[in-house]
Amino acid sequence: MNTSSQPYMRTLAGMRPTNILHIGNYFGSLEGMLELQAMPNVDCYFMVADLHAITTPYNKGELEEYSRDMVALYIAAGLDPKKSTLFIQSHIPAHTELAFLLSSMVSIARLMHLPTYKEKIKQHPDANSLALLSYPALMAADIILYKTTHVPVGLDQEPHLEITRELIRKLDTELGVKLPEPVRFSTKSSYIPSLTLDGKMSKSVPNSYIAISDSFDQIHKKIRAVPTATESGGEMSPGVKLLFDLLSLVSTEEARRYKKDFEEGSLQYSQLKDALADSLYVFLEPIQKKYGALKQDPVYVSTIIDQGTQKASAEAETQLTLIKKAMGF
Ligand code: TRP
């Protein structure tokens, strides 16, 4: 569909606004956004998925603040408003509108069988809402509105991308609307295990995660608590493997050095833990500083959001109009 030598790449990604963002989120999504932003031929749209936030219990008094904080964090982590369009999903009504239109093209049964949906209703049995069921239709709308080709998300989001691709095929065969089929843009590590070694890092499990905002002491304390007990035979235990995996994300050099010690049988786990905690803090500190400064400058953050909304909105409206027309409106 694209005949120029430069491949057409458009990325859209979003994270739900929460007060706690951990390094699992960072390495699963944010790092992918940063990588895409650094590529010369990619048009980048990054939003805060605040509409998705209401699909599970949330606090309405904090929603707007968390969304703005999230934009500040995006910038602090390195997303550059000069290169990427940053916005808040609910500021652009086309998202909600297209989500409803798309919901007419996907069956309830298809949505009910998604692992993400099943997991969420298990977590929140009293909040089994229609919005939760149609979460993937909203995510498909996000992706379709920007003619997205690459989506930097964790592996757990793949079923949502599959629904999006199915919808895109339907838009083509039933309505003649042509769109690129988006693929997942995977990062170095799209699965970060919990520090308790039980499942993945999750903000709803205390001590399972390192938050981006964690202090030096908090990081040391949490890393020190990772169980490292080895069975006899010198096999690497899951805890030690986790320590190495995390260390290689923030300092490949050190990871290599300690791996050598491990192989020679001279590694002290307390040393490895201290080195990892130090490296994590070195990695997070500049982000924390920049975030702190941005929190002091809400006017700047608002300006960025307004500019991003204007640009994204024009794009989204064009796409929405096209689809509505094709649907008979
Ligand atoms: N569902 C995504 C997540 O939980 C968040 C999201 C919403 C998203 N809309 C999106 C991600 C569009 C990428 C593209 O991670």
PDB file of all heavy atoms in Angstrom, residues 293-327:
ATOM      1  N   ALA A 293      10.327  18.435  38.459  1.00  0.00           N
ATOM      2  CA  ALA A 293      10.346  19.790  37.898  1.00  0.00           C
ATOM      3  C   ALA A 293       9.068  20.059  37.093  1.00  0.00           C
ATOM      4  O   ALA A 293       8.474  21.138  37.177  1.00  0.00           O
ATOM      5  CB  ALA A 293      11.575  19.965  37.015  1.00  0.00           C
ATOM      6  N   LEU A 294       8.624  19.064  36.345  1.00  0.00           N
ATOM      7  CA  LEU A 294       7.415  19.244  35.528  1.00  0.00           C
ATOM      8  C   LEU A 294       6.173  19.407  36.395  1.00  0.00           C
ATOM      9  O   LEU A 294       5.244  20.126  36.042  1.00  0.00           O
ATOM     10  CB  LEU A 294       7.233  18.055  34.579  1.00  0.00           C
ATOM     11  CG  LEU A 294       8.195  18.018  33.394  1.00  0.00           C
ATOM     12  CD1 LEU A 294       8.200  16.630  32.742  1.00  0.00           C
ATOM     13  CD2 LEU A 294       7.837  19.076  32.353  1.00  0.00           C
ATOM     14  N   LYS A 295       6.181  18.739  37.542  1.00  0.00           N
ATOM     15  CA  LYS A 295       5.054  18.875  38.471  1.00  0.00           C
ATOM     16  C   LYS A 295       4.926  20.317  38.955  1.00  0.00           C
ATOM     17  O   LYS A 295       3.852  20.781  39.319  1.00  0.00           O
ATOM     18  CB  LYS A 295       5.251  17.948  39.682  1.00  0.00           C
ATOM     19  CG  LYS A 295       4.863  16.509  39.433  1.00  0.00           C
ATOM     20  CD  LYS A 295       3.370  16.299  39.346  1.00  0.00           C
ATOM     21  CE  LYS A 295       2.712  16.169  40.724  1.00  0.00           C
ATOM     22  NZ  LYS A 295       1.238  16.007  40.579  1.00  0.00           N
ATOM     23  N   GLN A 296       6.060  21.014  38.963  1.00  0.00           N
ATOM     24  CA  GLN A 296       6.056  22.428  39.386  1.00  0.00           C
ATOM     25  C   GLN A 296       5.588  23.342  38.253  1.00  0.00           C
ATOM     26  O   GLN A 296       5.471  24.537  38.440  1.00  0.00           O
ATOM     27  CB  GLN A 296       7.474  22.874  39.800  1.00  0.00           C
ATOM     28  CG  GLN A 296       8.090  22.072  40.933  1.00  0.00           C
ATOM     29  CD  GLN A 296       7.240  22.133  42.191  1.00  0.00           C
ATOM     30  OE1 GLN A 296       6.818  23.226  42.605  1.00  0.00           O
ATOM     31  NE2 GLN A 296       6.960  20.991  42.787  1.00  0.00           N
ATOM     32  N   ASP A 297       5.418  22.797  37.072  1.00  0.00           N
ATOM     33  CA  ASP A 297       5.098  23.630  35.918  1.00  0.00           C
ATOM     34  C   ASP A 297       3.863  23.106  35.174  1.00  0.00           C
ATOM     35  O   ASP A 297       3.924  22.712  34.015  1.00  0.00           O
ATOM     36  CB  ASP A 297       6.317  23.648  34.970  1.00  0.00           C
ATOM     37  CG  ASP A 297       6.247  24.792  33.971  1.00  0.00           C
ATOM     38  OD1 ASP A 297       5.204  25.483  33.921  1.00  0.00           O
ATOM     39  OD2 ASP A 297       7.228  24.978  33.232  1.00  0.00           O
ATOM     40  N   PRO A 298       2.703  23.126  35.866  1.00  0.00           N
ATOM     41  CA  PRO A 298       1.503  22.551  35.259  1.00  0.00           C
ATOM     42  C   PRO A 298       1.068  23.294  33.994  1.00  0.00           C
ATOM     43  O   PRO A 298       0.433  22.705  33.114  1.00  0.00           O
ATOM     44  CB  PRO A 298       0.442  22.681  36.353  1.00  0.00           C
ATOM     45  CG  PRO A 298       0.967  23.666  37.328  1.00  0.00           C
ATOM     46  CD  PRO A 298       2.455  23.620  37.238  1.00  0.00           C
ATOM     47  N   VAL A 299       1.429  24.568  33.888  1.00  0.00           N
ATOM     48  CA  VAL A 299       1.019  25.332  32.700  1.00  0.00           C
ATOM     49  C   VAL A 299       1.706  24.775  31.450  1.00  0.00           C
ATOM     50  O   VAL A 299       1.085  24.596  30.397  1.00  0.00           O
ATOM     51  CB  VAL A 299       1.338  26.840  32.872  1.00  0.00           C
ATOM     52  CG1 VAL A 299       0.993  27.614  31.608  1.00  0.00           C
ATOM     53  CG2 VAL A 299       0.573  27.400  34.068  1.00  0.00           C
ATOM     54  N   TYR A 300       2.989  24.481  31.611  1.00  0.00           N
ATOM     55  CA  TYR A 300       3.724  23.895  30.483  1.00  0.00           C
ATOM     56  C   TYR A 300       3.085  22.569  30.066  1.00  0.00           C
ATOM     57  O   TYR A 300       2.824  22.329  28.882  1.00  0.00           O
ATOM     58  CB  TYR A 300       5.198  23.685  30.865  1.00  0.00           C
ATOM     59  CG  TYR A 300       5.965  22.862  29.857  1.00  0.00           C
ATOM     60  CD1 TYR A 300       6.336  23.404  28.624  1.00  0.00           C
ATOM     61  CD2 TYR A 300       6.295  21.531  30.125  1.00  0.00           C
ATOM     62  CE1 TYR A 300       7.021  22.634  27.690  1.00  0.00           C
ATOM     63  CE2 TYR A 300       6.979  20.760  29.188  1.00  0.00           C
ATOM     64  CZ  TYR A 300       7.341  21.316  27.975  1.00  0.00           C
ATOM     65  OH  TYR A 300       8.004  20.554  27.055  1.00  0.00           O
ATOM     66  N   VAL A 301       2.808  21.721  31.059  1.00  0.00           N
ATOM     67  CA  VAL A 301       2.218  20.412  30.745  1.00  0.00           C
ATOM     68  C   VAL A 301       0.862  20.589  30.044  1.00  0.00           C
ATOM     69  O   VAL A 301       0.567  19.913  29.054  1.00  0.00           O
ATOM     70  CB  VAL A 301       2.087  19.544  32.022  1.00  0.00           C
ATOM     71  CG1 VAL A 301       1.380  18.221  31.720  1.00  0.00           C
ATOM     72  CG2 VAL A 301       3.467  19.263  32.624  1.00  0.00           C
ATOM     73  N   SER A 302       0.059  21.543  30.516  1.00  0.00           N
ATOM     74  CA  SER A 302      -1.238  21.792  29.881  1.00  0.00           C
ATOM     75  C   SER A 302      -1.073  22.255  28.440  1.00  0.00           C
ATOM     76  O   SER A 302      -1.850  21.852  27.556  1.00  0.00           O
ATOM     77  CB  SER A 302      -2.019  22.868  30.638  1.00  0.00           C
ATOM     78  OG  SER A 302      -2.457  22.348  31.856  1.00  0.00           O
ATOM     79  N   THR A 303      -0.078  23.087  28.207  1.00  0.00           N
ATOM     80  CA  THR A 303       0.157  23.572  26.844  1.00  0.00           C
ATOM     81  C   THR A 303       0.492  22.408  25.915  1.00  0.00           C
ATOM     82  O   THR A 303      -0.029  22.317  24.801  1.00  0.00           O
ATOM     83  CB  THR A 303       1.338  24.576  26.828  1.00  0.00           C
ATOM     84  OG1 THR A 303       1.075  25.567  27.813  1.00  0.00           O
ATOM     85  CG2 THR A 303       1.484  25.234  25.472  1.00  0.00           C
ATOM     86  N   ILE A 304       1.351  21.533  26.395  1.00  0.00           N
ATOM     87  CA  ILE A 304       1.725  20.369  25.585  1.00  0.00           C
ATOM     88  C   ILE A 304       0.489  19.528  25.266  1.00  0.00           C
ATOM     89  O   ILE A 304       0.277  19.099  24.127  1.00  0.00           O
ATOM     90  CB  ILE A 304       2.762  19.493  26.343  1.00  0.00           C
ATOM     91  CG1 ILE A 304       4.063  20.264  26.561  1.00  0.00           C
ATOM     92  CG2 ILE A 304       3.021  18.172  25.618  1.00  0.00           C
ATOM     93  CD1 ILE A 304       4.710  20.776  25.310  1.00  0.00           C
ATOM     94  N   ILE A 305      -0.344  19.316  26.284  1.00  0.00           N
ATOM     95  CA  ILE A 305      -1.544  18.496  26.082  1.00  0.00           C
ATOM     96  C   ILE A 305      -2.480  19.171  25.070  1.00  0.00           C
ATOM     97  O   ILE A 305      -3.011  18.521  24.171  1.00  0.00           O
ATOM     98  CB  ILE A 305      -2.267  18.246  27.421  1.00  0.00           C
ATOM     99  CG1 ILE A 305      -1.386  17.383  28.342  1.00  0.00           C
ATOM    100  CG2 ILE A 305      -3.621  17.580  27.193  1.00  0.00           C
ATOM    101  CD1 ILE A 305      -1.901  17.238  29.771  1.00  0.00           C
ATOM    102  N   ASP A 306      -2.647  20.488  25.188  1.00  0.00           N
ATOM    103  CA  ASP A 306      -3.548  21.186  24.268  1.00  0.00           C
ATOM    104  C   ASP A 306      -3.044  21.112  22.830  1.00  0.00           C
ATOM    105  O   ASP A 306      -3.817  20.872  21.903  1.00  0.00           O
ATOM    106  CB  ASP A 306      -3.718  22.652  24.694  1.00  0.00           C
ATOM    107  CG  ASP A 306      -4.511  22.752  25.992  1.00  0.00           C
ATOM    108  OD1 ASP A 306      -5.126  21.739  26.383  1.00  0.00           O
ATOM    109  OD2 ASP A 306      -4.509  23.834  26.623  1.00  0.00           O
ATOM    110  N   GLN A 307      -1.751  21.306  22.674  1.00  0.00           N
ATOM    111  CA  GLN A 307      -1.188  21.225  21.317  1.00  0.00           C
ATOM    112  C   GLN A 307      -1.336  19.829  20.743  1.00  0.00           C
ATOM    113  O   GLN A 307      -1.708  19.655  19.573  1.00  0.00           O
ATOM    114  CB  GLN A 307       0.303  21.604  21.329  1.00  0.00           C
ATOM    115  CG  GLN A 307       0.515  23.102  21.508  1.00  0.00           C
ATOM    116  CD  GLN A 307       1.980  23.448  21.787  1.00  0.00           C
ATOM    117  OE1 GLN A 307       2.820  22.562  21.956  1.00  0.00           O
ATOM    118  NE2 GLN A 307       2.276  24.740  21.847  1.00  0.00           N
ATOM    119  N   GLY A 308      -1.057  18.834  21.592  1.00  0.00           N
ATOM    120  CA  GLY A 308      -1.175  17.441  21.142  1.00  0.00           C
ATOM    121  C   GLY A 308      -2.605  17.118  20.759  1.00  0.00           C
ATOM    122  O   GLY A 308      -2.868  16.463  19.746  1.00  0.00           O
ATOM    123  N   THR A 309      -3.550  17.587  21.576  1.00  0.00           N
ATOM    124  CA  THR A 309      -4.965  17.312  21.321  1.00  0.00           C
ATOM    125  C   THR A 309      -5.390  17.899  19.977  1.00  0.00           C
ATOM    126  O   THR A 309      -6.093  17.252  19.203  1.00  0.00           O
ATOM    127  CB  THR A 309      -5.839  17.924  22.436  1.00  0.00           C
ATOM    128  OG1 THR A 309      -5.372  17.414  23.678  1.00  0.00           O
ATOM    129  CG2 THR A 309      -7.296  17.567  22.267  1.00  0.00           C
ATOM    130  N   GLN A 310      -4.941  19.114  19.707  1.00  0.00           N
ATOM    131  CA  GLN A 310      -5.307  19.758  18.438  1.00  0.00           C
ATOM    132  C   GLN A 310      -4.856  18.937  17.247  1.00  0.00           C
ATOM    133  O   GLN A 310      -5.617  18.683  16.317  1.00  0.00           O
ATOM    134  CB  GLN A 310      -4.637  21.122  18.365  1.00  0.00           C
ATOM    135  CG  GLN A 310      -5.618  22.252  18.570  1.00  0.00           C
ATOM    136  CD  GLN A 310      -4.945  23.592  18.366  1.00  0.00           C
ATOM    137  OE1 GLN A 310      -4.064  23.734  17.524  1.00  0.00           O
ATOM    138  NE2 GLN A 310      -5.354  24.560  19.159  1.00  0.00           N
ATOM    139  N   LYS A 311      -3.601  18.515  17.309  1.00  0.00           N
ATOM    140  CA  LYS A 311      -3.050  17.771  16.178  1.00  0.00           C
ATOM    141  C   LYS A 311      -3.728  16.408  16.043  1.00  0.00           C
ATOM    142  O   LYS A 311      -4.167  16.016  14.956  1.00  0.00           O
ATOM    143  CB  LYS A 311      -1.537  17.612  16.360  1.00  0.00           C
ATOM    144  CG  LYS A 311      -0.909  16.805  15.289  1.00  0.00           C
ATOM    145  CD  LYS A 311       0.563  17.082  15.089  1.00  0.00           C
ATOM    146  CE  LYS A 311       1.063  16.214  13.943  1.00  0.00           C
ATOM    147  NZ  LYS A 311       2.117  15.290  14.324  1.00  0.00           N
ATOM    148  N   ALA A 312      -3.835  15.687  17.166  1.00  0.00           N
ATOM    149  CA  ALA A 312      -4.416  14.344  17.136  1.00  0.00           C
ATOM    150  C   ALA A 312      -5.884  14.395  16.725  1.00  0.00           C
ATOM    151  O   ALA A 312      -6.374  13.554  15.980  1.00  0.00           O
ATOM    152  CB  ALA A 312      -4.256  13.673  18.494  1.00  0.00           C
ATOM    153  N   SER A 313      -6.567  15.428  17.201  1.00  0.00           N
ATOM    154  CA  SER A 313      -7.988  15.551  16.944  1.00  0.00           C
ATOM    155  C   SER A 313      -8.278  15.682  15.447  1.00  0.00           C
ATOM    156  O   SER A 313      -9.208  15.052  14.918  1.00  0.00           O
ATOM    157  CB  SER A 313      -8.503  16.758  17.712  1.00  0.00           C
ATOM    158  OG  SER A 313      -9.802  17.024  17.370  1.00  0.00           O
ATOM    159  N   ALA A 314      -7.479  16.478  14.745  1.00  0.00           N
ATOM    160  CA  ALA A 314      -7.678  16.659  13.304  1.00  0.00           C
ATOM    161  C   ALA A 314      -7.542  15.317  12.589  1.00  0.00           C
ATOM    162  O   ALA A 314      -8.363  14.950  11.737  1.00  0.00           O
ATOM    163  CB  ALA A 314      -6.662  17.655  12.768  1.00  0.00           C
ATOM    164  N   GLU A 315      -6.521  14.576  12.963  1.00  0.00           N
ATOM    165  CA  GLU A 315      -6.265  13.266  12.370  1.00  0.00           C
ATOM    166  C   GLU A 315      -7.431  12.311  12.648  1.00  0.00           C
ATOM    167  O   GLU A 315      -7.947  11.652  11.752  1.00  0.00           O
ATOM    168  CB  GLU A 315      -4.967  12.736  13.017  1.00  0.00           C
ATOM    169  CG  GLU A 315      -4.435  11.479  12.456  1.00  0.00           C
ATOM    170  CD  GLU A 315      -3.895  11.634  11.046  1.00  0.00           C
ATOM    171  OE1 GLU A 315      -3.372  12.719  10.725  1.00  0.00           O
ATOM    172  OE2 GLU A 315      -4.036  10.671  10.276  1.00  0.00           O
ATOM    173  N   ALA A 316      -7.842  12.272  13.914  1.00  0.00           N
ATOM    174  CA  ALA A 316      -8.890  11.341  14.336  1.00  0.00           C
ATOM    175  C   ALA A 316     -10.225  11.668  13.665  1.00  0.00           C
ATOM    176  O   ALA A 316     -10.952  10.773  13.215  1.00  0.00           O
ATOM    177  CB  ALA A 316      -9.034  11.369  15.851  1.00  0.00           C
ATOM    178  N   GLU A 317     -10.553  12.941  13.573  1.00  0.00           N
ATOM    179  CA  GLU A 317     -11.823  13.359  12.970  1.00  0.00           C
ATOM    180  C   GLU A 317     -11.907  12.943  11.507  1.00  0.00           C
ATOM    181  O   GLU A 317     -12.950  12.491  11.037  1.00  0.00           O
ATOM    182  CB  GLU A 317     -11.994  14.884  13.082  1.00  0.00           C
ATOM    183  CG  GLU A 317     -12.421  15.361  14.468  1.00  0.00           C
ATOM    184  CD  GLU A 317     -13.775  14.808  14.913  1.00  0.00           C
ATOM    185  OE1 GLU A 317     -14.635  14.533  14.053  1.00  0.00           O
ATOM    186  OE2 GLU A 317     -13.956  14.638  16.142  1.00  0.00           O
ATOM    187  N   THR A 318     -10.806  13.108  10.794  1.00  0.00           N
ATOM    188  CA  THR A 318     -10.775  12.733   9.372  1.00  0.00           C
ATOM    189  C   THR A 318     -11.105  11.257   9.212  1.00  0.00           C
ATOM    190  O   THR A 318     -11.942  10.865   8.392  1.00  0.00           O
ATOM    191  CB  THR A 318      -9.352  12.980   8.804  1.00  0.00           C
ATOM    192  OG1 THR A 318      -9.001  14.335   9.073  1.00  0.00           O
ATOM    193  CG2 THR A 318      -9.288  12.705   7.320  1.00  0.00           C
ATOM    194  N   GLN A 319     -10.474  10.444  10.027  1.00  0.00           N
ATOM    195  CA  GLN A 319     -10.656   9.008   9.941  1.00  0.00           C
ATOM    196  C   GLN A 319     -12.071   8.610  10.349  1.00  0.00           C
ATOM    197  O   GLN A 319     -12.701   7.774   9.706  1.00  0.00           O
ATOM    198  CB  GLN A 319      -9.609   8.329  10.839  1.00  0.00           C
ATOM    199  CG  GLN A 319      -9.323   6.904  10.534  1.00  0.00           C
ATOM    200  CD  GLN A 319      -8.962   6.682   9.075  1.00  0.00           C
ATOM    201  OE1 GLN A 319      -8.431   7.563   8.405  1.00  0.00           O
ATOM    202  NE2 GLN A 319      -9.300   5.518   8.564  1.00  0.00           N
ATOM    203  N   LEU A 320     -12.568   9.241  11.398  1.00  0.00           N
ATOM    204  CA  LEU A 320     -13.921   8.934  11.872  1.00  0.00           C
ATOM    205  C   LEU A 320     -14.952   9.264  10.794  1.00  0.00           C
ATOM    206  O   LEU A 320     -15.867   8.482  10.529  1.00  0.00           O
ATOM    207  CB  LEU A 320     -14.217   9.725  13.160  1.00  0.00           C
ATOM    208  CG  LEU A 320     -15.639   9.589  13.694  1.00  0.00           C
ATOM    209  CD1 LEU A 320     -15.909   8.163  14.193  1.00  0.00           C
ATOM    210  CD2 LEU A 320     -15.912  10.576  14.836  1.00  0.00           C
ATOM    211  N   THR A 321     -14.819  10.417  10.162  1.00  0.00           N
ATOM    212  CA  THR A 321     -15.765  10.853   9.133  1.00  0.00           C
ATOM    213  C   THR A 321     -15.808   9.847   7.988  1.00  0.00           C
ATOM    214  O   THR A 321     -16.878   9.473   7.504  1.00  0.00           O
ATOM    215  CB  THR A 321     -15.357  12.241   8.590  1.00  0.00           C
ATOM    216  OG1 THR A 321     -15.249  13.121   9.705  1.00  0.00           O
ATOM    217  CG2 THR A 321     -16.367  12.787   7.613  1.00  0.00           C
ATOM    218  N   LEU A 322     -14.628   9.398   7.608  1.00  0.00           N
ATOM    219  CA  LEU A 322     -14.529   8.433   6.519  1.00  0.00           C
ATOM    220  C   LEU A 322     -15.285   7.144   6.836  1.00  0.00           C
ATOM    221  O   LEU A 322     -16.044   6.626   6.018  1.00  0.00           O
ATOM    222  CB  LEU A 322     -13.038   8.125   6.366  1.00  0.00           C
ATOM    223  CG  LEU A 322     -12.479   7.720   5.049  1.00  0.00           C
ATOM    224  CD1 LEU A 322     -11.334   8.683   4.716  1.00  0.00           C
ATOM    225  CD2 LEU A 322     -11.929   6.309   5.144  1.00  0.00           C
ATOM    226  N   ILE A 323     -15.079   6.652   8.058  1.00  0.00           N
ATOM    227  CA  ILE A 323     -15.721   5.392   8.452  1.00  0.00           C
ATOM    228  C   ILE A 323     -17.233   5.579   8.600  1.00  0.00           C
ATOM    229  O   ILE A 323     -18.032   4.747   8.170  1.00  0.00           O
ATOM    230  CB  ILE A 323     -15.070   4.835   9.737  1.00  0.00           C
ATOM    231  CG1 ILE A 323     -13.615   4.446   9.448  1.00  0.00           C
ATOM    232  CG2 ILE A 323     -15.847   3.628  10.272  1.00  0.00           C
ATOM    233  CD1 ILE A 323     -12.794   4.055  10.661  1.00  0.00           C
ATOM    234  N   LYS A 324     -17.626   6.697   9.183  1.00  0.00           N
ATOM    235  CA  LYS A 324     -19.070   6.949   9.338  1.00  0.00           C
ATOM    236  C   LYS A 324     -19.772   6.982   7.984  1.00  0.00           C
ATOM    237  O   LYS A 324     -20.847   6.417   7.800  1.00  0.00           O
ATOM    238  CB  LYS A 324     -19.304   8.277  10.071  1.00  0.00           C
ATOM    239  CG  LYS A 324     -19.195   8.144  11.583  1.00  0.00           C
ATOM    240  CD  LYS A 324     -19.404   9.455  12.287  1.00  0.00           C
ATOM    241  CE  LYS A 324     -20.876   9.800  12.428  1.00  0.00           C
ATOM    242  NZ  LYS A 324     -21.039  11.022  13.255  1.00  0.00           N
ATOM    243  N   LYS A 325     -19.136   7.648   7.053  1.00  0.00           N
ATOM    244  CA  LYS A 325     -19.703   7.719   5.691  1.00  0.00           C
ATOM    245  C   LYS A 325     -19.862   6.321   5.117  1.00  0.00           C
ATOM    246  O   LYS A 325     -20.919   5.966   4.602  1.00  0.00           O
ATOM    247  CB  LYS A 325     -18.742   8.512   4.802  1.00  0.00           C
ATOM    248  CG  LYS A 325     -19.342   9.806   4.304  1.00  0.00           C
ATOM    249  CD  LYS A 325     -18.582  10.297   3.090  1.00  0.00           C
ATOM    250  CE  LYS A 325     -19.094  11.681   2.719  1.00  0.00           C
ATOM    251  NZ  LYS A 325     -18.015  12.585   2.402  1.00  0.00           N
ATOM    252  N   ALA A 326     -18.789   5.532   5.255  1.00  0.00           N
ATOM    253  CA  ALA A 326     -18.821   4.177   4.701  1.00  0.00           C
ATOM    254  C   ALA A 326     -19.909   3.339   5.377  1.00  0.00           C
ATOM    255  O   ALA A 326     -20.477   2.419   4.789  1.00  0.00           O
ATOM    256  CB  ALA A 326     -17.466   3.518   4.857  1.00  0.00           C
ATOM    257  N   MET A 327     -20.218   3.668   6.631  1.00  0.00           N
ATOM    258  CA  MET A 327     -21.233   2.909   7.371  1.00  0.00           C
ATOM    259  C   MET A 327     -22.653   3.369   7.055  1.00  0.00           C
ATOM    260  O   MET A 327     -23.616   2.804   7.532  1.00  0.00           O
ATOM    261  CB  MET A 327     -20.993   3.006   8.879  1.00  0.00           C
ATOM    262  CG  MET A 327     -19.819   2.173   9.361  1.00  0.00           C
ATOM    263  SD  MET A 327     -19.586   2.297  11.152  1.00  0.00           S
ATOM    264  CE  MET A 327     -20.819   1.128  11.755  1.00  0.00           C
TER     265      MET A 327
END
